[in-house]
Amino acid sequence: MKINLLSAAAPFTKLRYRHYQIHHLLLPYALYTLSVVPIYLFFIVSDIYHIQSYLWLVIGVKIFLSLACVCILLLLRHRAPHYLELGEFVLVFSVFSSFTYVAQYAMYLGHSHYQLAGLLVLVYVGALSRLGFSKAWLLLTLMLLTHVVLISSVKLSQDFVNGLDNLMIFLAVYFIAVVACLRRESESQKSFLSFIQIRNQQLSLRKSQHILSKQNQTDPLTGLNNRLFLSANLERISSRAQQLSVLMIDIDNFKMINDTYGHPFGDEVILRVAATIKLHCHERNKVCVRYGGEEFLCLFIDLSPIQCHKIAHGICDAIAELTWPINKLLVTVSVGLASKHAEDKGDFHLIKQADLALYQAKQAGKNQVAVYAD
């Protein structure tokens, strides 16, 4: 009977559909479920005219049941929304059972036209409820069986023709409600599939934007972060550091290497120097950036100046030990180091200080580390 658009879907997709049912179908309409309660209480007026004995007991039970249902549904809505379907199921069946019991009691008192109030509950399930089809069909079937056992059996024994008419009307409304629930389930699944398609498009777009942003902030030659990355993230990096240190690294005599051996070889020099620097700056508290053509910058988070100075010397020595296909070629770097504590201001001023220290290292003969000092 059920046309399930998700029958061939993966288990994860079915879990997502369950989540969609709860948060997009049940939760937004949970308060509308309470519309059953005032309609249910409105029938107290009919109880007054059709029931003489135990009237106040009937009214008291209805009021107590209504308050209990309201409290339980509100609690489920805020605390356990995944049980909302079960809560609505119990609420609707309780209301229907109450209608049916009171109708049966009225029939024994001689009021034989007070048993169709339960039809309103079937109409509610078919038209307003947000239950999934399986639970809605089970609920409707239970209500049909309850009606047959408690109402139709008595009605047929008292007045067969009227009882048969009553049963036919109830069966017709039952089938209409089942078809309405089936249609609602099909529309819900179509809505979910559209939602998933739009969501996947959004995720794909977000992923593309992330990749594009990463490409914009990555140097294509070395794979290191570039200056745009530094501008966008320096403040964030600095905000979580008690102490921040900067190494400004420049390849010595790079213009001469480019002019003498050509730009392709110059790119190879940059690539190997970048790889060497990255070996010394690959931990999470170290950030390596290609700052310019032959200039690199390293950020050290919460490392002491002594540790940074040791790393800077290690970079200088490792690059000086690199071998090249050109005989007697020596590639070296000069390094400027500057540090600041968290209470000191001016992250970009720190870079300027490291640049000044780099200038001092160049002036002092290159292939060495200079530390910025006021």
Side-chain angles (χ1 to χ4, degrees):
M1 178 185 293
K2 184 180 178 184
I3 301 173
N4 193 340
L5 300 177
L6 303 177
S7 58
F12 179 69
T13 302
K14 293 179 181 178
L15 286 176
R16 290 180 71 182
Y17 178 61
R18 177 62 183 159
H19 183 274
Y20 176 83
Q21 279 184 310
I22 293 171
H23 293 278
H24 293 267
L25 300 179
L26 291 173
L27 268 177
Y29 295 95
L31 295 180
Y32 289 100
T33 305
L34 298 177
S35 62
V36 176
V37 174
I39 297 172
Y40 174 61
L41 292 175
F42 180 74
F43 275 86
I44 290 176
V45 177
S46 298
D47 295 338
I48 294 173
Y49 286 99
H50 290 87
I51 300 174
Q52 289 78 37
S53 58
Y54 301 108
L55 174 62
W56 296 111
L57 177 61
V58 172
I59 294 174
V61 169
K62 282 193 171 184
I63 293 175
F64 172 79
L65 182 61
S66 300
L67 292 175
C69 288
V70 170
C71 293
I72 290 172
L73 276 176
L74 291 177
L75 183 64
L76 291 177
R77 181 172 179 265
H78 291 286
R79 299 287 183 178
H82 51 287
Y83 288 118
L84 267 175
E85 264 194 318
L86 179 61
E88 184 177 355
F89 186 100
V90 173
L91 164 65
V92 174
F93 188 70
S94 299
V95 168
F96 179 83
S97 300
S98 175
F99 274 141
T100 305
Y101 178 77
V102 172
Q104 185 191 48
Y105 183 64
M107 288 173 63
Y108 284 121
L109 296 177
H111 301 284
S112 59
H113 299 288
Y114 188 49
Q115 63 282 138
L116 295 180
L119 289 176
L120 293 177
V121 185
L122 270 72
V123 171
Y124 166 82
V125 174
L128 299 177
S129 172
R130 294 288 168 170
L131 290 173
F133 176 77
S134 58
K135 291 184 177 61
W137 176 79
L138 177 61
L139 177 59
L140 290 169
T141 303
L142 285 175
M143 290 192 292
L144 173 64
L145 295 175
T146 303
H147 181 82
V148 169
V149 172
L150 298 182
I151 301 296
S152 294
S153 59
V154 178
K155 186 75 173 176
L156 289 169
S157 63
Q158 292 179 347
D159 187 342
F160 182 81
V161 175
N162 287 334
L164 187 60
D165 290 342
N166 174 279
L167 181 58
M168 290 301 102
I169 292 172
F170 201 93
L171 280 170
V173 176
Y174 166 82
F175 282 114
I176 291 173
V178 169
V179 172
C181 292
L182 183 60
R183 177 185 174 186
R184 182 176 65 234
E185 178 77 0
S186 177
E187 290 176 348
S188 297
Q189 291 186 6
K190 288 178 182 178
S191 174
F192 167 71
L193 293 175
S194 297
F195 170 81
I196 289 298
Q197 185 178 11
I198 294 172
R199 179 63 176 164
N200 288 340
Q201 289 173 349
Q202 290 174 337
L203 292 175
S204 178
L205 179 61
R206 190 178 301 172
K207 183 179 179 180
S208 299
Q209 290 174 335
H210 176 73
I211 293 173
L212 182 61
S213 175
K214 190 171 182 180
Q215 288 175 343
N216 288 338
Q217 296 184 10
T218 302
D219 177 57
L221 176 63
T222 62
L224 299 178
N225 299 313
N226 62 17
R227 197 162 179 170
L228 180 60
F229 169 87
L230 184 68
S231 299
N233 294 278
L234 181 58
E235 185 176 348
R236 177 183 60 82
I237 294 171
S238 178
S239 65
R240 60 187 176 92
Q242 294 298 315
Q243 185 165 22
L244 189 67
S245 298
V246 172
L247 290 185
M248 188 67 78
I249 306 168
D250 186 80
I251 301 175
D252 297 327
N253 306 314
F254 184 74
K255 186 176 184 305
M256 183 270 294
I257 294 173
N258 250 348
D259 293 342
T260 306
Y261 304 108
H263 289 281
F265 183 77
D267 288 344
E268 185 180 346
V269 170
I270 290 175
L271 193 58
R272 292 188 64 186
V273 168
T276 305
I277 295 172
K278 192 174 181 179
L279 283 175
H280 291 77
C281 304
H282 63 276
E283 289 90 349
R284 296 186 63 178
N285 61 339
K286 301 171 184 176
V287 180
C288 188
V289 175
R290 185 181 179 189
Y291 195 70
E294 69 273 18
E295 201 168 21
F296 302 87
L297 182 147
C298 297
L299 289 175
F300 295 149
I301 302 165
D302 294 336
L303 291 181
S304 68
I306 294 176
Q307 290 174 301
C308 297
H309 193 266
K310 184 177 179 181
I311 293 171
H313 274 289
I315 291 173
C316 275
D317 294 341
I319 292 173
E321 292 172 1
L322 291 175
T323 58
W324 304 93
I326 298 172
N327 192 28
K328 295 183 179 180
L329 176 63
L330 177 65
V331 176
T332 61
V333 295
S334 299
V335 183
L337 169 62
S339 301
K340 80 176 185 71
H341 293 282
E343 60 271 11
D344 299 331
K345 302 299 180 183
D347 300 326
F348 288 96
H349 186 63
L350 180 66
I351 295 176
K352 185 177 180 181
Q353 291 175 344
D355 202 43
L356 290 173
L358 173 62
Y359 179 76
Q360 294 171 6
K362 293 282 189 181
Q363 291 295 103
K366 303 177 182 178
N367 191 24
Q368 59 184 280
V369 179
V371 180
Y372 176 83
D374 292 330

